[in-house]
Amino acid sequence: MPRSAPFDYEDIRRRAMQSLFESFDSLCEGTIVVDGAARIVWINERYAQRFGLAHADEAIGREVEEIIPSSLMREVVRTGQPILLDILEVGSESFVVTRIPLKDDSGQVIGAVGFALYDQLQPLKPFYARLGRLQQELAQTRKRLAEERRAKYTFSNFVGTSPAAMEIKRQARRAATLESPVLLLGETGTGKELIAHAIHAASPRADRPFIGVNVAAIPESLLEAEFFGTTAGAYTGADRKGRLGKFQAADGGTLFLDEVGDMPLPLQAKLLRVLQEQEVEPLGSDRVIQVDVRIIAATSVDLAARVADGRFRADLFYRLNVLPLNLPPLRERLADIEALCEHILEDIARRTGLPQRELDADAIALFRRCAWSGNIRELRNVLEQVSMLSDEARLFAADFAHILTPTLPQAPATQPTRTLDDALAEHERGLILDALAACAGKVPEAASRLGIGRATLYKKMAAHKLTSRKRD
């Protein structure tokens, strides 16, 4: 069998290029070629006539802008970069055009070729429709993101009129007018995040981002990237496009560092530098980025004690502890219990669709005798539990007896004088409540604990209007 002749690859490439050019020329509305000085060396007849020329030869040797005033062919020659999809406006007509640089064997730009793909936008309507939808979705996403980065609470959301509540709101309002760092101290569940949002919402930065970071919830290995951002491919598994850190995201606004006491020591040193210099350096980058961020930090641990035992940097502590605010625990603002319960029950009804619940006076009295180590978060949990389990519109003390154990002394009577009968009745009611709580609301066990019969206990419960519900 005869051996086939070897392929002439260069000839095939040349023919392919010629065929491609001829195909484009026949399919497109117009084709133009310019040299390295942006002078026209070739233009097809159809395109030349679009610009008022009788013959294409009239354009040869002339600068492209003489024929096509708004042409960007010179820009393609100058930069060596293509413009793959553009709209060329010529009077009342619009052309969809592509411009590609021409290079010699050494890679030098020696000219450019342009194709007018369409003389109307009709063929690209599906493309523009999809582009429009994508732009609309992007705008909506950006709007939602901006809303997420706004403060969610104001001082009106911090419920309470007790002296302790009013004092912390007074201090926080003053802090909102200043630019210094704020350190929110207090037990878990006292409302530190709410106050941080409220300070931002009342500050001159209210229309700028509010970014919150729970330091304790992020793995230590990711904290630095979370705070300062990364460049593309900064480490294995990093985003290929890089990502903004929280400081850059909060630029111009407020960065809330929750549970800052759990921050590892190496990151504390870097945070201190950012606070002092107001600049960050993303991971994998040698570029320093200026930021303008107001810091609000919060912690439920004793930071001073952590400084003493070396787990928290003293210099960072002093940098954060400029405006310290101590949020009172719930047991120090028991006068707010009733208003807090009403607010929480309204929120539960709104979120769950369940009927609005009310608390009996005895339930409120029971709440005021509890220590609430989990503070308002615990109060919400208790109310939500019982709301889910009860079908009644009114909740009584006995409904909470299996959850709560009173530990605080009985509140003093509000009347200046009481009769002996009133005092005995109040004492008896307290004994019954305590017994029910200790026996998880089981009446027979409570009666045995009190040394009376079950029927007698039911009568006394009815007399004291504790509840009419039996718990056998």
Side-chain angles (χ1 to χ4, degrees):
M1 184 173 181
R3 186 177 180 182
S4 59
F7 288 108
D8 186 345
Y9 294 104
E10 182 60 29
D11 180 63
I12 293 175
R13 186 182 72 83
R14 185 171 56 255
R15 289 178 181 275
M17 296 299 295
Q18 181 68 24
S19 175
L20 180 63
F21 181 83
E22 290 174 354
S23 297
F24 264 105
D25 183 38
S26 64
L27 293 173
C28 296
E29 294 299 322
T31 308
I32 187 170
V33 180
V34 300
D35 63 13
R39 293 186 297 263
I40 298 173
V41 297
W42 187 81
I43 184 171
N44 66 359
E45 292 289 343
R46 192 165 57 252
Y47 208 28
Q49 292 171 10
R50 289 277 190 178
F51 296 101
L53 302 178
H55 300 287
D57 291 344
E58 297 177 24
I60 305 303
R62 297 168 67 177
E63 293 190 350
V64 66
E65 292 86 0
E66 292 184 41
I67 307 302
I68 309 174
S70 57
S71 174
L72 295 180
M73 294 290 281
R74 187 179 299 276
E75 182 70 11
V76 174
V77 172
R78 185 184 67 82
T79 64
Q81 298 298 316
I83 301 176
L84 296 178
L85 190 62
D86 192 22
I87 305 296
L88 176 65
E89 302 287 349
V90 181
S92 60
E93 291 185 300
S94 297
F95 295 91
V96 180
V97 299
T98 290
R99 308 178 183 97
I100 303 172
L102 298 175
K103 299 180 181 181
D104 61 18
D105 293 340
S106 65
Q108 295 296 314
V109 177
I110 58 173
V113 59
F115 299 98
L117 304 179
Y118 308 104
D119 64 346
Q120 53 182 329
L121 302 184
Q122 184 69 28
L124 289 183
K125 277 191 174 181
F127 167 78
Y128 280 111
R130 179 171 176 78
L131 179 61
R133 289 195 299 271
L134 292 174
Q135 289 175 329
Q136 185 178 19
E137 291 173 5
L138 178 60
Q140 291 173 347
T141 301
R142 284 175 172 169
K143 182 180 179 181
R144 286 195 297 269
L145 181 60
E147 290 171 352
E148 285 293 317
R149 290 178 172 176
R150 293 288 185 266
K152 296 181 176 65
Y153 309 107
T154 65
F155 288 114
S156 64
N157 297 111
F158 193 85
V159 178
T161 56
S162 65
M166 297 304 291
E167 176 60 17
I168 196 63
K169 284 193 276 190
R170 183 193 70 78
Q171 294 178 14
R173 284 193 178 97
R174 178 170 178 77
T177 65
L178 306 172
E179 282 290 302
S180 300
V182 176
L183 181 59
L184 302 177
L185 304 168
E187 298 174 6
T188 180
T190 50
K192 296 187 290 297
E193 182 174 356
L194 190 155
I195 287 292
H197 278 266
I199 290 173
H200 174 78
S203 76
R205 297 173 179 259
D207 61 340
R208 304 297 296 167
F210 177 93
I211 304 295
V213 183
N214 188 324
V215 177
I218 302 173
E220 185 174 337
S221 59
L222 298 179
L223 274 172
E224 189 172 352
E226 192 73 18
F227 275 106
F228 308 127
T230 65
T231 58
Y235 57 89
T236 302
D239 194 321
R240 289 183 298 175
K241 297 181 180 179
R243 59 173 298 182
L244 289 179
K246 299 300 185 184
F247 274 94
Q248 288 176 266
D251 189 29
T254 300
L255 181 62
F256 173 52
L257 305 178
D258 199 8
E259 298 301 344
V260 72
D262 294 325
M263 182 176 290
L265 281 168
L267 190 61
Q268 292 178 29
K270 294 185 178 182
L271 175 61
L272 178 64
R273 184 181 182 280
V274 173
L275 297 183
Q276 291 173 339
E277 305 298 333
Q278 287 286 290
E279 60 185 29
V280 298
E281 186 176 326
L283 286 177
S285 173
D286 56 2
R287 184 168 61 98
V288 172
I289 300 171
Q290 294 291 324
V291 291
D292 172 24
V293 176
R294 199 258 179 103
I295 296 293
I296 301 178
T299 183
S300 57
V301 302
D302 187 344
L303 273 190
R306 294 208 169 187
V307 170
D309 62 22
R311 286 188 291 166
F312 202 86
R313 291 179 63 104
D315 45 8
L316 179 58
F317 172 69
Y318 296 130
R319 193 73 179 80
L320 295 174
N321 195 37
V322 178
L323 291 173
L325 300 183
N326 286 278
L327 275 71
L330 186 54
R331 60 184 173 276
E332 293 180 9
R333 44 182 293 223
L334 292 173
D336 296 328
I337 282 282
E338 187 169 2
L340 284 166
C341 289
E342 182 179 359
H343 174 76
I344 293 170
L345 288 170
E346 287 177 355
D347 184 60
I348 292 172
R350 182 173 59 254
R351 288 189 299 103
T352 64
L354 293 172
Q356 176 68 52
R357 309 304 173 90
E358 295 181 356
L359 286 181
D360 185 73
D362 290 313
I364 295 173
L366 171 63
F367 283 13
R368 286 177 175 156
R369 297 185 61 201
C370 296
W372 301 109
S373 59
N375 295 291
I376 299 170
R377 190 172 291 125
E378 181 185 359
L379 176 63
R380 173 179 287 275
N381 176 266
V382 167
L383 289 170
E384 198 156 12
Q385 278 192 56
V386 175
S387 295
M388 297 298 168
L389 296 173
S390 175
D391 295 324
E392 304 297 327
R394 195 168 186 82
L395 304 176
F396 297 88
D399 294 310
F400 300 91
H402 66 292
I403 302 176
L404 298 175
T405 302
T407 57
L408 300 181
Q410 187 80 23
T414 56
Q415 296 86 355
T417 58
R418 294 184 299 170
T419 65
L420 179 60
D421 287 344
D422 288 339
L424 290 173
E426 184 175 334
H427 182 66
E428 184 178 74
R429 173 184 286 177
L431 290 175
I432 292 172
L433 281 173
D434 289 347
L436 286 170
C439 299
K442 297 178 180 178
V443 174
E445 293 181 18
S448 176
R449 187 183 185 92
L450 292 168
I452 59 177
R454 181 172 60 179
T456 302
L457 179 54
Y458 275 126
K459 290 178 182 179
K460 290 183 179 293
M461 289 171 64
H464 291 301
K465 299 180 180 179
L466 293 180
T467 180
S468 60
R469 197 174 307 163
K470 293 183 179 182
R471 297 181 178 274
D472 293 336

